[in-house]
């Protein structure tokens, strides 16, 4: 398969941007466009662009520093855009944080092994030892950082391990601890959480119990970026399933696991595929 690249652009909306970008892709990068998406936020007059392409000359891959291209410098002066170029053959390193439940951990590992997720899973970190056998069965390093009352020290050890393994992103696969504001700020836009509720409804603890008590007819799960405000981060992906009136809370929880599996995988995939732009508290997906 020929190499693939992703070009991302965000800037103030102005006429001619799309024509300028596609011309640059063809004339300067020598790119054959595989997939192109763009979106204009009319409320904020903001333009977003994502293009996947493959170079026609595989021996001359596009230069990562786009400013080396004279035409790009000219366009940058005109449109003042924020631009990023990614080599999609490079697998981002992802750390998995877990507690005691295993379904999201299994799903992320299996979807990565089959190639659905373009990720290099580098470690599994947990506040419990429960899931250590699963991580080790799949050949993933596992480290236990128990909660001993000193939350700051526990989190510092956790973060040190993330640095040691070169983690670039973190997936909270039902990690049942609240991360500090400092942690989420340092890892802003790189921590993906699955909440077992259809946000913004039923935030916080025991969302299935909350949903059952309200007699809802559907339950769901949400993949979102973790921020210092609990369950308030930009939403990446959501899904729901219908429930019946005669189901117990246990029935809600059991049915919800399938939705959680799907949602954490799809949310992480969007992030790893570079399809997400963060703007004014929203996750704009192209």
């Amino acid at each position: 398969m020929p190499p693939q690249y992703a070009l991302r652009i965000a800037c103030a909306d102005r006429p001619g941007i799309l024509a300028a970008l596609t011309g640059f892709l063809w004339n300067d990068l020598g790119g054959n466009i595989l997939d192109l998406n763009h979106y204009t936020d009319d409320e904020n007059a903001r333009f977003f662009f994502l293009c996947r392409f493959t170079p026609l000359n595989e021996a001359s891959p596009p230069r990562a520093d786009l400013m080396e291209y004279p035409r790009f410098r000219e366009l940058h002066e005109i449109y003042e855009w924020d631009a990023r170029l990614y080599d999609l053959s490079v697998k981002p390193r992802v750390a998995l944080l877990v507690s005691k439940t295993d379904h999201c951990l299994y799903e992320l590992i299996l979807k990565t092994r089959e190639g659905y997720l373009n990720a290099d899973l580098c470690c599994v970190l947990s506040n419990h030892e429960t899931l250590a056998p699963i991580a080790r069965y799949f050949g993933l390093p596992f480290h236990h950082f128990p909660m001993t009352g000193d939350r700051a020290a526990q989190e510092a050890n956790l973060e040190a391990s993330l640095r040691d393994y070169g983690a670039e992103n973190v997936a909270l696969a039902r990690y049942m601890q609240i991360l500090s504001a400092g942690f989420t700020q340092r890892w802003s836009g790189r921590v993906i959480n699955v909440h077992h509720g259809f946000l913004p409804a039923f935030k916080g603890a025991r969302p299935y119990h909350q949903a059952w008590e309200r007699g809802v007819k559907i339950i769901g799960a949400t993949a979102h970026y973790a921020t210092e405000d609990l369950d308030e981060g930009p939403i990446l992906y959501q899904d729901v399933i219908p429930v019946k009136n005669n189901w117990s809370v246990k029935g809600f929880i059991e049915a919800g696991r399938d939705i959680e599996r799907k949602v954490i995988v799809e949310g992480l995939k969007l992030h790893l595929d570079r399809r997400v732009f963060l703007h004014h508290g929203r996750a704009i997906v192209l």
Side-chain angles (χ1 to χ4, degrees):
M1 177 181 293
Q4 293 187 18
Y5 296 84
L7 176 63
R8 292 163 45 99
I9 297 284
C11 62
D13 187 36
R14 291 176 57 182
I17 299 174
L18 195 58
L21 283 169
T22 52
F24 172 73
L25 277 162
W26 173 256
N27 294 314
D28 295 83
L29 295 187
N32 178 38
I33 294 175
L34 303 175
D35 179 67
L36 188 153
N37 293 280
H38 60 92
Y39 166 72
T40 300
D41 177 358
D42 292 327
E43 296 294 326
N44 298 287
R46 195 76 178 163
F47 177 81
F48 302 91
F49 172 93
L50 171 66
C51 176
R52 289 188 307 111
F53 68 94
T54 186
L56 294 176
N57 182 3
E58 294 184 23
S60 299
R63 296 191 289 273
D65 185 358
L66 293 170
M67 297 302 287
E68 293 182 7
Y69 295 91
R71 179 55 177 162
F72 187 87
R73 287 199 299 270
E74 294 174 8
L75 294 172
H76 184 266
E77 291 177 3
I78 296 171
Y79 295 106
E80 298 180 329
W81 51 34
D82 177 37
R84 297 288 187 274
L85 180 67
Y86 296 95
D87 182 346
L88 296 179
S89 68
V90 177
K91 295 184 177 182
R93 292 177 66 78
V94 179
L96 305 180
L97 270 60
V98 299
S99 288
K100 291 183 176 181
T101 56
D102 60 11
H103 55 288
C104 288
L105 174 61
Y106 271 123
E107 194 72 5
L108 288 166
I109 292 174
L110 293 175
K111 288 298 184 182
T112 301
R113 288 168 68 93
E114 71 182 36
Y116 185 72
L117 288 175
N118 184 44
D120 177 10
L121 301 183
C122 58
C123 62
V124 179
L125 312 178
S126 180
N127 58 320
H128 295 280
E129 293 187 281
T130 309
L131 304 184
I134 297 173
R136 290 169 183 151
Y137 176 82
F138 287 103
L140 293 172
F142 179 92
H143 295 279
H144 175 217
F145 299 106
M147 290 300 304
T148 58
D150 189 343
R151 182 179 296 273
Q154 189 264 0
E155 198 170 86
N157 291 332
L158 186 75
E159 203 162 0
S161 190
L162 292 174
R163 290 193 299 269
D164 290 343
Y165 282 101
E168 301 166 277
N169 305 277
V170 175
L172 307 180
R174 294 299 304 273
Y175 181 65
M176 307 306 287
Q177 293 293 319
I178 298 175
L179 298 171
S180 71
F183 185 103
T184 55
Q185 289 167 6
R186 287 188 293 276
W187 290 79
S188 178
R190 295 185 291 157
V191 180
I192 292 87
N193 180 49
V194 59
H195 177 71
H196 41 308
F198 192 73
L199 294 175
F202 309 126
K203 301 174 185 177
R206 297 161 65 88
Y208 289 125
H209 292 74
Q210 296 180 54
W212 183 85
E213 290 168 1
R214 295 294 298 271
V216 302
K217 307 311 178 213
I218 57 172
I219 57 172
T222 304
H224 67 97
Y225 287 108
T227 64
E228 58 186 290
D229 299 314
L230 182 64
D231 298 334
E232 294 278 0
I235 292 172
L236 282 159
Y237 190 88
Q238 294 178 293
D239 203 357
V240 295
I241 57 170
V243 295
K244 297 181 180 179
N245 291 320
N246 62 351
W247 285 11
S248 64
V249 173
K250 182 180 179 182
F252 273 41
I253 293 171
E254 290 174 348
R257 287 176 179 165
D258 286 339
I259 301 298
E260 294 166 31
R261 290 185 182 98
K262 177 181 179 181
V263 163
I264 186 62
V265 167
E266 295 300 330
L268 182 59
K269 180 175 175 58
L270 290 171
H271 173 79
L272 296 176
D273 289 351
R274 315 295 185 178
R275 292 193 171 274
V276 184
F277 295 80
L278 294 177
H279 181 62
H280 287 186
R282 295 175 60 207
I284 297 169
V285 178
L286 296 185

